[in-house]
Amino acid sequence: MTTTGYRTDAATLSPELIESYRRDGFVRIPGVITLAEAAEFREAALEVQRRMQDHNLTAGGRSANTFDQFVNVWQLDEQMRRLTLHPNVGGVAERLAGVPLRIWHDQTLIKRPQRSTPTEFHQDQPYWPHDNSPHAISAWIALVDVPVEKGCMTFIPGSYHRDDLRSQDLNDAGSLFALAPDLAWAERVTIPLRAGDCTFHHARCAHMANANVTEEQRVAHTVIFMDATTIFRGTGHVVTDPLELEAGKEFDHPMFPRVGA
């Protein structure tokens, strides 16, 4: 136990875990939030799901059976804001990345029981309107225990080196491998999590999540960080479209606060 009450914090993050992340592009970090926090934020996330279906980006779309997806929840709910801005989550992310970071966006991802489909292998970064962000990293926070049967994450080690791929279809099991056939035969690592644990993965690390075949909701919250010096490319994205940002400039905007600011 650390002096902060967390099993792992930025100050006690071991060199071995940092090296594992930088080698493979992902790492499991236990106890980034406490069990009590996980329980509190789980209830807040489920309340968001109940109250804010009009903000569910997958409702009625191709991904409707994959998960319920609520983006920029920290702007909608004060409790979830505390999780997105949690100093331990951002502090660990910055230690792993090794550079100053700012928040790109968050998202609460809930796989419904007995009815979800897999989130197929994909990289995150090709979807984003970013330039000059080689260290972008996501914290995937388990708010419930997430065994394999509930839809935990699987990663392809080293796949973050593939920075030449266009965006993939997370509803198509063959989409990533049509672009990078060699990855179809690469090692895959599946990481079950206990509530309060996190996986951190590089924005180019290929990953997927199984279907939830249990009787309970799989509740997770992701906080996505980009390099503090990331440049807005000017292409469309649901997060940036309403903001009238200037292409070629850094994301210097209240929606993208610096870690620790």
Side-chain angles (χ1 to χ4, degrees), residues 2-107:
T2 70
T3 57
T4 61
Y6 299 106
R7 291 181 63 194
T8 311
D9 61 25
T12 60
L13 191 62
S14 71
E16 291 77 17
L17 287 173
I18 295 172
E19 170 58 27
S20 178
Y21 170 77
R22 295 181 186 176
R23 179 188 66 241
D24 296 331
F26 65 91
V27 69
R28 172 184 174 269
I29 306 291
V32 174
I33 64 172
T34 67
L35 284 173
E37 287 176 322
E40 174 192 352
F41 294 129
R42 176 187 67 242
E43 291 308 309
L46 291 173
E47 183 61 22
V48 166
Q49 183 191 38
R50 285 189 290 267
R51 290 191 295 110
M52 301 184 185
Q53 276 298 315
D54 55 328
H55 291 278
N56 180 6
L57 293 189
T58 63
R62 293 182 63 230
S63 298
N65 291 327
T66 305
F67 46 52
D68 288 2
Q69 180 185 28
F70 303 90
V71 169
N72 274 338
V73 182
W74 71 291
Q75 294 290 308
L76 304 173
D77 182 88
E78 188 58 36
Q79 282 183 285
M80 296 305 291
R81 180 184 182 89
R82 291 194 295 109
L83 178 54
T84 294
L85 301 181
H86 197 296
N88 206 36
V89 175
V92 171
E94 206 162 66
R95 280 288 310 280
L96 292 170
V99 299
L101 300 173
R102 65 171 75 242
I103 289 177
W104 164 224
H105 67 78
D106 69 3
Q107 52 187 2

Side-chain angles (χ1 to χ4, degrees), residues 82-235:
R82 291 194 295 109
L83 178 54
T84 294
L85 301 181
H86 197 296
N88 206 36
V89 175
V92 171
E94 206 162 66
R95 280 288 310 280
L96 292 170
V99 299
L101 300 173
R102 65 171 75 242
I103 289 177
W104 164 224
H105 67 78
D106 69 3
Q107 52 187 2
T108 295
L109 301 172
I110 300 175
K111 281 186 178 285
R112 298 187 181 230
Q114 292 289 331
R115 57 176 290 186
S116 69
T117 56
T119 312
E120 302 293 356
F121 272 111
H122 64 284
Q123 300 172 310
D124 294 329
Q125 198 166 45
Y127 292 96
W128 302 339
H130 294 177
D131 285 323
N132 190 38
S133 189
H135 304 95
I137 180 173
S138 293
W140 197 94
I141 308 164
L143 301 181
V144 295
D145 290 347
V146 187
V148 172
E149 297 79 11
K150 196 172 282 186
C152 68
M153 300 269 275
T154 295
F155 302 91
I156 299 179
S159 55
Y160 74 98
H161 293 297
R162 292 301 303 265
D163 60 0
D164 58 334
L165 302 180
R166 59 171 172 79
S167 60
Q168 302 106 43
D169 183 350
L170 55 78
N171 296 297
D172 179 355
S175 180
L176 171 69
F177 305 120
L179 299 174
D182 55 306
L183 292 182
W185 304 102
E187 177 188 7
R188 304 177 188 191
V189 178
T190 299
I191 305 182
L193 297 176
R194 301 304 298 265
D197 294 350
C198 296
T199 54
F200 288 81
H201 67 269
H202 189 281
R204 289 271 179 179
C205 183
H207 58 284
M208 64 88 66
N210 302 310
N212 177 13
V213 298
T214 74
E215 300 292 338
E216 301 175 334
Q217 306 235 55
R218 189 216 71 183
V219 188
H221 186 70
T222 302
V223 187
I224 307 171
F225 303 90
M226 56 184 166
D227 295 58
T229 54
T230 300
I231 300 298
F232 177 50
R233 183 178 297 161
T235 51

